Amino acid sequence: MDEKNKFEDEIDLKAVIKSPSRMFGLIFPYYVVLFLVVGIYFIKHLNETSLNRVPPHYTDSLDINVNVEVKKGGVMPAIDLSIISNPTADLIETGKKLFVTNCSSCHGNEGKGDGPAAPALNPPPRNFHKVDGWTNGREFNSIYKTLEKGVPGTGMIAYEYLPVEDRISIIHYIRTMADYPGIDDKTIAELDKTYELSKGIVTPSNITIEMAEEKIAEENTLSEKVLNTYFNKINSYSDQNTVELFNKYVSDKQKVISILHRDYSTPDYKNIFISRVILSPLESGFKPSITTLSKEKLSKLYDMLIKVVS
Ligand code: HEC
């Protein structure tokens, strides 16, 4: 063996330092091991989020519904028109309290248009002690209109949600701040005609979504007796081929009948029925295989069902 191919017994460090490529070859394995160890350590210690293991949480917007307050509807009491022409001291006192809670932030406690929110408003809130510059006007009816509709494009919003009597009492309080135009019978008649104050205002009942869903479910549950008459009608239907289709492609007979019973009076229901059956057979009570039926057969099936339920 010649000198060149002989393995070195001992590594000559001095020679190695002089030859960078040899040095690299010697150090390289240590680096590989070092990187591996550090890399494995790093990956093992990644947290759930970095590894994307935490399932994303989607909030269904339907879950964040805020229910309305349950309220029995009725007629907002018709008001006695005499409170417009002859306000009692009590009424004006109530008006003052309501003014302070609802209006003074802008109009100021004394109605001088200098409430804490006033500096930010352009145009500024009205000074009720001044006669000039009113948009709607200072007559009783004009102020009523301002409260009903607000002044569009300004900070003055509508207060139509305040009960009529409260609004009237506030207006009377405002009228004590300066000399306002008088109120004659014609004015009152006009106001009554416009807003039907002496008729009262009908407000609908409020129920929660859950209550509404329960009610709908209740209304749509057909009694056993009704269902049976429907099934009997189907079985004795003249076109037995279509009856066969019904038996073959329906997975939930009760569901099919209930949905039809509920919806058949919807305009253009035939098309709705057919597209629903094709798009979501299971939800409509049919087997998925029904989607292979021709439109003509679906149409026959529909005609039979509609005869049965109507
Ligand atoms: C957020 C501030 C704000 C609040 C609260 C507010 N107003 Fe006003 N109001 C205004 C502003 C601004 C104007 C001036 C509108 C304009 O220049 O036409 C105004 C104008 C008015 C006018 C005069 C309308 C006209 O014809 O010029 C009346 C009357 C009035 N408010 C009554 C009330 C009453 C009553 C309340 C409480 C129930 C109330 N406002 C609450 C900001 C407010």
Side-chain angles (χ1 to χ4, degrees), residues 95-130:
K96 182 177 178 178
K97 281 189 197 130
L98 289 165
F99 182 87
V100 170
T101 27
N102 292 291
C103 324
S104 63
S105 58
C106 293
H107 289 284
N109 274 340
E110 282 154 30
K112 290 186 175 155
D114 56 357
L121 294 171
N122 181 23
R126 189 73 56 232
N127 178 345
F128 299 129
H129 300 261
K130 285 207 171 146

Side-chain angles (χ1 to χ4, degrees), residues 225-244:
K225 208 175 127 200
V226 176
L227 274 174
N228 280 335
T229 38
Y230 286 158
F231 292 149
N232 288 338
K233 273 190 188 175
I234 291 177
N235 287 332
S236 54
Y237 187 66
S238 55
D239 177 4
Q240 279 301 311
N241 287 338
T242 310
V243 178
E244 231 168 72

